[in-house]
Amino acid sequence: MRSSNDSIVVAELRRRLFTGDLRPGLPVNIADVADDLGISTAPVRDALMRLSERGLINRVEGRGFFVAVTPDHEASELLGILHNIITLAIEKSRLPNGLDRDEVSPDNPPSLILTGHDQLNEMLERICSPTVAAIAVSVADRLWDVRRRIADHAGRACPEARLVAAIMRLLARSDRPRAKRLVDIAYKSSQKFLLKQMVNG
């Protein structure tokens, strides 16, 4: 059985990935993370194993754990898959599970709707079936570095959180066409960003 410490460490490591504290290709020092959190190394190792199963961390036999790298050309393909999943989910969606229309009214700021760095994943779990959501979250996780770089490039706080909140508000009003257009715009913008990175890289 997984301990609560494991979940806490997973959440902290994911936060460090999305904020850029952990960089692609670099090793993760288990002892340092354990010291930072004031815990033993065992839950840190367990958390890294869980993240390696989701493609966020690579485990190299005899060398330890490293932050996973998704090449931009692969990220471009993954973005296409994620775009298709979200578009289909929106087409089939009704009011997202557990979401009341008042919860996404203009009087409620986005930060009160979905908080933390997993806004996109939470949206996927709300609008997709459990099986599809698991696939979509896995794809989104593998895009963590691209998502972080796009946020950095945007130069403003939480662009992804605002995007997710806007989509959820539209779905709460059953305005699927506008929600799909918003997803299309975000997808094209992300692909344009990746193309520039590949050309300039």
Side-chain angles (χ1 to χ4, degrees):
M1 179 180 286
R2 287 166 174 163
S3 69
S4 59
N5 267 352
D6 291 352
S7 297
I8 291 170
V9 179
V10 166
E12 173 59 17
L13 289 170
R14 287 172 61 83
R15 184 195 68 77
R16 293 185 184 194
L17 288 169
F18 278 83
T19 56
D21 292 339
L22 294 175
R23 295 287 179 169
L26 295 182
V28 180
N29 189 304
I30 294 175
D32 285 350
V33 175
D35 286 344
D36 289 346
L37 298 177
I39 58 177
S40 69
T41 58
V44 177
R45 185 178 297 278
D46 290 343
L48 287 168
M49 290 297 293
R50 288 173 63 184
L51 291 175
S52 71
E53 293 169 3
R54 299 185 69 165
L56 293 169
I57 297 291
N58 288 332
R59 181 171 180 257
V60 181
E61 195 68 36
R63 295 185 59 201
F65 295 92
F66 294 79
V67 180
V69 178
T70 300
D72 284 346
H73 67 278
E74 290 182 15
S76 178
E77 294 178 18
L78 290 172
L79 273 172
I81 294 170
L82 187 61
H83 172 255
N84 288 337
I85 291 174
I86 294 174
T87 299
L88 288 171
I90 288 174
E91 287 176 357
K92 296 178 179 297
S93 74
R94 298 176 183 173
L95 193 66
N97 293 333
L99 187 67
D100 185 83
R101 288 176 188 272
D102 292 336
E103 186 182 350
V104 289
S105 71
D107 297 328
N108 288 325
S111 60
L112 297 180
I113 301 168
L114 298 169
T115 59
H117 61 271
D118 280 332
Q119 301 95 335
L120 176 61
N121 289 0
E122 186 169 338
M123 182 188 78
L124 294 169
E125 289 167 355
R126 288 186 176 197
I127 68 174
C128 299
S129 67
T131 301
V132 174
I135 296 170
V137 167
S138 176
V139 172
D141 276 353
R142 288 178 184 272
L143 289 166
W144 72 268
D145 183 51
V146 172
R147 292 162 64 187
R148 180 191 59 76
R149 283 187 282 148
I150 289 173
D152 289 347
H153 179 73
R156 58 184 187 274
C158 304
E160 189 174 284
R162 288 200 295 273
L163 171 65
V164 168
I167 293 169
M168 296 297 270
R169 280 197 294 269
L170 290 169
L171 289 178
R173 296 200 298 263
S174 298
D175 192 346
R176 288 191 290 271
R178 286 183 65 192
K180 284 175 62 179
R181 284 199 297 272
L182 199 54
V183 171
D184 287 343
I185 291 169
Y187 169 68
K188 290 173 183 175
S189 176
S190 298
Q191 289 287 21
K192 184 178 179 180
F193 171 83
L194 270 178
L195 180 60
K196 286 184 177 178
Q197 296 287 299
M198 287 186 279
V199 170
N200 296 331

